[in-house]
Amino acid sequence: MKYIIALDQGTTSCRSIVFDEKFNMIAMSQKEFTQIYPHPTWVEHDGEEILSTQIETLRDVIKKAKINTEDILSVGITNQRESTIIWNRETGKPVYNSIVWQCRRTADYCDELEASGYTAYIKETTGLTIDAYFSATKIKWILDNVEGAREDALKGKLAFGTMDSWLIYNLSGGKYHITDYTNASRTMLYDINNLCWDEKLMSVMDIPSSLMPCVVPSSGQLAYIDESILGRKIPITGIAGDQQSALFGQNCVNFGEVKNTYGTGCFLLANTLDEKINSTSGLVTTLACKADGSVCYALEGSVFIAGALIQWLRDEMGLLTTAAESEKYANMVDSSDGVYIVPAFSGLGAPHWDMRAKAVIVGLSRGSNRNHLIRASLEAIAYQLNDLMQALNTDLNAKAAYIKADGGASANDLLMQLTADMADTDVIRPKNIESTALGAAMLAAIGIGLYNSTDEMNFADSTDRVFTPSIDKDKRNALLKGWNEAVRMCISHD
């Protein structure tokens, strides 16, 4: 038996998972790393901690699986997207912490870009809306604010990457500075029409082209892990941003097929194949990947805070001991009793795109208790997802038949039912909810030649449960009306 290893570099933890040739999960190793909040709305990670954590889980999972490195066919990498790190090519050291996708520090500069009339150009070229979420303004911030960074960048001494680039550069001993199409399409610097870095945007933001990684397909012979890491040179044959990887892992390969990943945030993607659809409803257009690693298009809606809201209840408010308890306590009440939580801790993403929105809790009464707050938090995730689904249905000019759910929070039955009720559509949960890692493993398997198409891997796609809408239409409309009123309260008013 031979094996594929998926490295899943997420927002709060690094994981390594061993899959066999039939994509059965053999072993998993996971370790959280530090979240850094230097100022309100700023979020950072220590790039070197991420690297050491990822390598630690890689070595640990091989021990757990009790396999030899000779039995590892290849490695696939999937990663948190948009998070930005710049390092010195000579020393290999980051010049600054990684600025995380959630960080809002560049909101003022985004306003300047909009005021200068770049909104339409950026939308048409990159598929994205101007927002601090994406990598470009983070790169500019580091160059403008870290002493000596711009001078070194102009001399060609520095390299930029999202987390896939950072991991591959270090795992390969500095031999490969690459990213794939899906990650490149999240930088707000990549032309998704012509598949190249956009010189105009690089010039506007004063970002030297020497910083940028080479862009490669998502599947194929892409790089190699240096033998110093595991004692043997191992090919990296799959790379994809976490949400595009989950789309592939969920086998959403036909037009209009939809998946949603319930992680730190919620990320809804619909495959549109070779058709680039420009959203009129607040979604963005992004690159996804086909089985051969080449590109296709997808519509995407990003909710910044989903599972992170449950973590907040646990870590900051002390209302939970574990995230999994949220379902138990939420089920202790029939409703949230009029309480709404809009978790705009990092502003609002799609379809509202308000970088300065602030989180609110509305509808509290003297009778409101912990269970109501916990249930309102789960409902907030479902409400936000419904906002994305309504935008998607408008852009596709059709109602999506179902949502394929994955990610850690999809194990929560109540959340899945709330999603089905609010979005008024079936929610399909697979037996393996780790679709992000599975997608990376599937891309790697194709890249190494183990399989030639997704049709040959249909055994990796199996359903655990289907949640169907069960709520009365009038009740649903009343709940959504309350949600929309709560959202209006947190929208910024300059």
Side-chain angles (χ1 to χ4, degrees), residues 315-327:
D315 300 337
E316 308 302 330
M317 304 304 289
L319 299 183
L320 297 167
T321 303
T322 65
E325 288 179 340
S326 60
E327 182 174 6

Side-chain angles (χ1 to χ4, degrees), residues 247-259:
L247 187 73
F248 195 79
Q250 285 272 33
N251 200 30
C252 292
V253 296
N254 298 309
F255 185 91
E257 287 191 315
V258 181
K259 75 88 197 173

